[in-house]
């Protein structure tokens, strides 16, 4: 009799544990899919950047290849290319979105899952190949018009702000020497007057951020892909100009800026 009671007690514990486990499984929150990646590439099409130079061309092609490979992975991931010149905000040259989508794997056996994943990767790689080819055409496109006389990098900010509104993960790449050069009151022309030290760079960036704070850029990942070789002098590759942009983006959104 005592043995029967113990057995019943053990069975009750097992049933309770099983019910609790099932309830816990139901209460587990569904995995939230990652936000799509929204990539903005700004290609400097002014006189100061020449992609026909061997070092510049090779570096820019490799980075662009890496961007397409690493950022365009899922349906909805987006790549937009803008030209930097006198009219940057109106210079969208390319807009591409991943259309490939993996079929539902629920209920599929191991063989079917492998087939579904393979089909998705083949479709995605085909899209990436097309995207990269189109992006390379834009990279190599020359700008012989009058717009190559000015470099309006500030005008990229409303473009970034619009991307931020999408709710996507925004990644920004400037293929540029970042020499802002726009004539007129309250503008910067680093060809004529570039910051000569970090203190001046910070003061100018903080003053300029007040004029540009209307653009809510969020917290994008910002990368500057410079055209300068590692042996470039500070006169050619002014580190204080880089510090200006790092400070400006920090003021506008607490954004860190990486330079390649």
């Amino acid at each position: 009799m005592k043995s029967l009671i113990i057995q019943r007690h053990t069975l009750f514990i097992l049933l309770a544990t099983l019910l609790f486990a099932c309830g816990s499984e139901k209460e587990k929150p569904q995995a939230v899919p990652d936000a799509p990646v929204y990539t903005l590439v700004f290609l400097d099409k002014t006189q100061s950047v020449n992609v026909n130079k061997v070092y510049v061309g090779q570096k820019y092609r490799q980075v662009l290849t890496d961007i397409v490979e690493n950022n365009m992975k899922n349906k909805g991931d987006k790549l937009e290319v803008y030209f930097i010149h006198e009219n940057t905000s109106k210079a969208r040259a390319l807009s591409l979105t991943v259309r490939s989508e993996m079929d539902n794997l629920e209920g599929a056996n191991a063989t079917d899952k492998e087939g579904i994943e393979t089909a998705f990767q083949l479709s995605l790689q085909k899209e990436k190949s097309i995207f990269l080819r189109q992006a390379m055409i834009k990279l190599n496109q020359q700008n012989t018009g009058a717009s190559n006389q000015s470099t309006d990098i500030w005008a990229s900010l409303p473009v970034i702000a619009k991307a931020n509104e999408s709710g996507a993960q925004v990644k920004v790449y400037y293929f540029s020497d970042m020499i802002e050069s726009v004539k007129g009151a309250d503008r910067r022309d680093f060809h004529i007057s570039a910051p000569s030290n970090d203190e001046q760079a910070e003061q100018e960036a903080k003053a300029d951020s007040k004029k540009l704070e209307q653009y809510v850029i969020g917290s994008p990942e910002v990368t500057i892909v410079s055209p300068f070789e590692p042996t470039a002098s500070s006169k050619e590759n002014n580190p204080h100009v880089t510090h200006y942009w790092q400070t400006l983006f920090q003021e506008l959104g607490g954004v860190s800026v990486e330079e390649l």
Side-chain angles (χ1 to χ4, degrees):
M1 186 70 176
K2 186 176 180 182
S3 175
L4 183 61
I5 292 172
I6 292 172
Q7 287 177 2
R8 285 179 177 175
H9 180 68
T10 304
L11 181 62
F12 175 78
I13 292 173
L14 286 171
L15 285 171
T17 303
L18 185 62
L19 288 169
F20 177 77
C22 291
S24 297
E25 285 296 322
K26 288 180 182 177
E27 291 169 10
K28 281 183 180 178
Q30 296 295 316
V32 179
D34 293 335
V37 177
Y38 196 142
T39 303
L40 292 171
V41 170
F42 293 96
L43 301 175
D44 198 325
K45 294 297 180 179
T46 60
Q47 290 181 327
S48 59
V49 177
N50 184 4
V51 295
N52 290 326
K53 289 183 177 179
V54 176
Y55 173 80
V56 179
Q58 289 178 346
K59 179 178 181 178
Y60 277 14
R61 284 191 293 271
Q62 183 58 57
V63 175
L64 200 52
T65 300
D66 292 343
I67 289 171
V68 172
E69 182 60 32
N70 297 326
N71 293 6
M72 308 295 278
K73 289 184 175 180
N74 299 293
K75 183 179 180 181
D77 287 347
K78 192 169 189 175
L79 169 65
E80 289 188 343
V81 176
Y82 282 76
F83 290 159
I84 293 176
H85 50 50
E86 182 188 30
N87 193 21
T88 301
S89 63
K90 299 293 184 181
R92 191 174 74 179
L94 200 60
S95 181
L96 305 165
T97 305
V98 173
R99 304 296 181 191
S100 298
E101 183 177 18
M102 190 181 296
D103 291 338
N104 193 346
L105 296 174
E106 188 176 349
N109 59 37
T111 303
D112 289 341
K113 283 181 180 179
E114 186 177 349
I116 290 170
E117 290 171 355
T118 300
F120 168 70
Q121 289 300 328
L122 286 172
S123 176
L124 181 62
Q125 288 303 321
K126 184 177 179 180
E127 279 196 285
K128 284 184 178 182
S129 178
I130 295 170
F131 293 167
L132 183 58
R133 187 162 62 247
Q134 291 179 307
M136 289 297 183
I137 290 172
K138 298 305 177 184
L139 176 65
N140 295 320
Q141 185 174 327
Q142 299 296 310
N143 177 21
T144 57
S147 63
N148 70 10
Q149 302 296 312
S150 297
T151 308
D152 192 355
I153 300 171
W154 281 11
S156 66
L157 295 173
V159 177
I160 299 172
K162 185 176 179 181
N164 178 51
E165 292 174 0
S166 69
Q169 179 186 2
V170 181
K171 298 186 178 184
V172 183
Y173 300 83
Y174 291 98
F175 288 66
S176 173
D177 58 9
M178 303 304 284
I179 304 296
E180 178 85 0
S181 179
V182 179
K183 305 293 188 293
D186 295 328
R187 294 306 305 257
R188 299 290 173 191
D189 191 340
F190 290 153
H191 282 304
I192 295 174
S193 179
S196 57
N197 54 59
D198 280 354
E199 184 179 2
Q200 181 186 352
E202 287 186 18
Q203 289 175 349
E204 292 181 354
K206 288 178 179 179
D208 292 343
S209 70
K210 302 301 181 185
K211 309 169 194 172
L212 301 167
E213 62 186 358
Q214 59 181 303
Y215 303 117
V216 182
I217 65 170
S219 299
E221 293 181 20
V222 178
T223 303
I224 297 172
V225 190
S226 80
F228 304 113
E229 297 192 42
T231 54
S233 67
S234 59
K235 184 177 180 180
E236 183 182 8
N237 183 10
N238 186 338
H240 311 304
V241 168
T242 302
H243 192 66
Y244 166 88
W245 291 108
Q246 289 172 333
T247 304
L248 183 69
F249 276 108
Q250 282 183 340
E251 291 294 311
L252 293 175
V255 182
S256 61
V257 178
E258 180 185 5
E259 185 174 18
L260 297 181

